């Protein structure tokens, strides 16, 4: 039905930058909220940031001023620019999208990407 594919993860030294991308494809009518979550080893998945279809953004306190979320609706893609990375940002990053499906019922569902590893060394 719908697939979310993330890219851009990798390893970087503290203070460095990475840019994550997440492209949605499939039976999509529209996309409402898109966001990024992360899960560090031994910890629960946590919200990083979200962006609505209107462009309103929300950031978790630990990433405010360092991370920037954006979206390209023509490409059904959400981006996460991560600057001034810290070792505590090390985690698997997952994208999420609230999607209205192109079906007779305009069903709304939440979809997740497979995750991409971000490792920040000190």
């Amino acid at each position: 039905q719908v697939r979310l594919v993330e890219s851009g993860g990798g390893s970087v030294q503290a203070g460095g930058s990475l840019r994550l991308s997440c492209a949605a494809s499939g039976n999509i009518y529209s996309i409402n909220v898109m966001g990024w979550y992360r899960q560090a080893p031994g910890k629960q998945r946590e919200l990083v940031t979200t962006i609505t279809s209107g462009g309103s953004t929300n950031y978790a306190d630990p990433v405010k001023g360092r991370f920037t979320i954006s979206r390209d609706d023509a490409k059904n893609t959400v981006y996460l620019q991560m600057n001034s990375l810290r070792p505590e940002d090390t985690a698997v990053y997952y994208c999420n999208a609230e999607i209205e499906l192109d079906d007779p019922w305009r069903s709304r569902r939440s979809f997740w990407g497979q995750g991409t590893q971000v490792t920040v060394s000190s």
Side-chain angles (χ1 to χ4, degrees), residues 2 4 11 20 73 91 114 122:
V2 172
L4 271 59
S11 297
L20 306 183
D73 289 334
Q114 80 284 357
S122 58

Side-chain angles (χ1 to χ4, degrees), residues 12-68:
V12 65
Q13 289 191 329
S17 299
L18 285 173
R19 189 189 193 211
L20 306 183
S21 300
C22 173
S25 62
N27 194 29
I28 298 170
Y29 180 77
S30 66
I31 302 178
N32 187 11
V33 180
M34 303 184 83
W36 291 93
Y37 293 72
R38 67 186 182 186
Q39 188 167 17
K43 295 187 177 181
Q44 290 189 336
R45 191 173 298 188
E46 63 179 7
L47 171 71
V48 177
T49 177
T50 60
I51 184 169
T52 69
S53 56
S56 297
T57 58
N58 176 54
Y59 294 93
D61 286 342
V63 308
K64 284 181 180 177
R66 300 188 298 121
F67 290 11
T68 302

Side-chain angles (χ1 to χ4, degrees), residues 57-119:
T57 58
N58 176 54
Y59 294 93
D61 286 342
V63 308
K64 284 181 180 177
R66 300 188 298 121
F67 290 11
T68 302
I69 189 171
S70 61
R71 60 190 285 171
D72 183 339
D73 289 334
K75 297 180 179 180
N76 287 338
T77 299
V78 63
Y79 304 96
L80 182 62
Q81 178 65 44
M82 304 185 292
N83 298 328
S84 302
L85 282 161
R86 304 167 180 169
E88 53 264 39
D89 295 319
T90 296
V92 177
Y93 284 70
Y94 297 89
C95 72
N96 174 267
E98 299 290 335
I99 293 176
E100 189 173 3
L101 300 177
D102 190 14
D103 62 20
W105 310 276
R106 289 287 189 266
S107 306
R108 295 188 177 187
R109 287 183 53 192
S110 177
F111 293 89
W112 291 89
Q114 80 284 357
T116 185
Q117 177 70 45
V118 171
T119 302

